[in-house]
Amino acid sequence: MTLKSLLAAVAATVALALPIAAAAHDGVRIVDPYARLSAKSGAVFFKMENHAMEDDRLIAARTDLAQKAELHTHIDDGNGVMQMREIEGGIPIVGMEQQSLVRGGDHVMLMGLTRSLQDGDTFTLILTFERTGDVTVEVPVDNDRMPAVQPDGNMHEMDPAMDHDTMMHGTEGHMVDGDAETN
């Protein structure tokens, strides 16, 4: 085989492989997931990377670890008190960009845990996107993870000692108490 024919063969192979590689990366990938759990509830954090040109939106989450999994964010009530609220309409992620779910910001809230897990244990979380569809993620429990400093230099995550069981939840400010919500 001559050098010219070898180069032509390599070029043809690369040309055929590129569309396949691009298709394999088209959609949302979940990077560095972890959960912080208490006795009755927990929260899941991760980075979403959209490898598609089109925008997408995280619209739901589910797991057999909890009776309910909701997309939540934190909102200041105007008096300096942060309350967690369900996100209506999902969490958008722009095409070819990334979006982080962090403590003190957007996250997946788990309510009514069905079993207890320890640090290092994992559970399955299924995230549903408008465009990408279902993405299954194995999430490790890491209650000791320290808050990350964001690129703007601020710490956007909550105090690691914060107890999700005692925070206000829901669009009407319902307090989560184990398996049921009480006013």
Side-chain angles (χ1 to χ4, degrees):
M1 181 177 268
T2 68
L3 179 58
K4 186 176 180 179
S5 62
L6 178 62
L7 289 175
V10 168
T13 302
V14 169
L16 289 173
L18 283 177
I20 295 168
H25 297 293
D26 189 30
V28 176
R29 281 194 193 186
I30 304 304
V31 178
D32 195 26
Y34 75 99
R36 294 175 49 84
L37 304 178
S38 65
K40 300 175 185 176
S41 65
V44 183
F45 313 99
F46 48 86
K47 183 187 301 181
M48 300 181 292
E49 294 179 345
N50 189 351
H51 292 266
M53 296 300 293
E54 298 84 16
D55 295 352
D56 208 337
R57 180 177 300 272
L58 175 61
I59 56 174
R62 66 186 186 277
T63 178
D64 67 354
L65 178 64
Q67 293 173 3
K68 285 173 91 174
E70 295 179 346
L71 306 178
H72 274 210
T73 195
H74 287 85
I75 298 173
D76 187 332
D77 72 353
N79 297 315
V81 176
M82 297 300 287
Q83 293 184 343
M84 276 190 265
R85 301 290 171 123
E86 185 173 3
I87 298 172
E88 298 295 328
I91 301 171
I93 178 169
V94 176
M96 302 307 291
E97 302 241 346
Q98 56 187 342
Q99 172 80 16
S100 293
L101 278 63
V102 297
R103 298 192 322 239
D106 297 345
H107 60 280
V108 175
M109 188 72 204
L110 305 176
M111 295 175 280
L113 297 183
T114 59
R115 64 185 185 274
S116 84
L117 296 176
Q118 304 299 315
D119 277 351
D121 291 344
T122 62
F123 63 94
T124 302
L125 178 69
I126 300 170
L127 302 169
T128 303
F129 292 86
E130 278 181 344
R131 184 182 166 286
T132 301
D134 286 349
V135 175
T136 301
V137 183
E138 287 302 311
V139 180
V141 176
D142 187 354
N143 288 317
D144 295 327
R145 186 173 294 197
M146 296 305 292
V149 176
Q150 300 300 312
D152 63 8
N154 293 319
M155 292 176 62
H156 293 282
E157 298 184 349
M158 291 185 292
D159 180 338
M162 183 171 280
D163 182 1
H164 274 84
D165 289 341
T166 61
M167 292 199 66
M168 297 297 289
H169 292 63
T171 55
E172 290 145 19
H174 292 165
M175 178 75 79
V176 170
D177 183 24
D179 299 338
E181 291 187 352
T182 58
N183 288 328

